[in-house]
Amino acid sequence: MDIPQVTPTETAPSGDMGQDYLATGKQVAMRRWEASPCGWADMRTRKYETVGYVIQGRLEIDLDGETATLHRGDSWMVPEGAPHRYRILEKLVAIEATSPPARMGNRDATKS
């Protein structure tokens, strides 16, 4: 079997926001977040859809004016273009998938 891309955690490239980029295809990409507790990030929008899964910790998401608290085992979805922000409440480890891939075409650049 020919596996086109394997990305070990220890060699995964990191982005400007602290994310580790994992496997990336033409239509979807994965990334890993590890973050310490902090206040609300700035509200932003993105040119991609995001789905995420909490492996460890707790966070709040403010999505288009509605807030939810996410715990280990919870998942979320942020539609492309939706105003959102996060607040980390407990040390967080999460995996996200983005479509189209966030790191292509400068889509991860901060948008207000």
Side-chain angles (χ1 to χ4, degrees):
M1 178 175 176
D2 182 21
I3 300 174
Q5 185 183 125
V6 174
T7 308
T9 300
E10 46 291 335
T11 61
S14 295
D16 293 339
M17 297 176 291
Q19 70 277 36
D20 291 329
Y21 291 111
L22 304 176
T24 300
K26 292 178 183 177
Q27 302 299 319
V28 68
M30 272 192 344
R31 57 189 180 184
R32 181 180 186 275
W33 294 91
E34 190 166 328
S36 298
C38 62
W40 285 108
D42 292 335
M43 190 68 75
R44 59 188 52 172
T45 62
R46 297 289 185 201
K47 292 183 177 184
Y48 50 82
E49 180 175 81
T50 302
V51 294
Y53 179 79
V54 179
I55 295 172
Q56 171 188 320
R58 193 165 54 99
L59 74 144
E60 286 183 312
I61 182 171
D62 176 355
L63 178 58
D64 204 16
E66 295 195 30
T67 303
T69 302
L70 303 166
H71 302 83
R72 182 175 53 88
D74 291 340
S75 59
W76 71 92
M77 194 278 289
V78 177
E80 179 180 347
H84 66 283
R85 63 185 178 157
Y86 302 95
R87 176 168 60 174
I88 311 303
L89 302 173
E90 293 175 4
K91 183 175 170 134
L92 179 72
V93 177
I95 298 293
E96 287 185 333
T98 61
S99 180
R103 75 186 210 183
M104 303 303 182
N106 202 29
R107 288 185 193 96
D108 258 349
T110 302
K111 307 278 186 235
S112 306

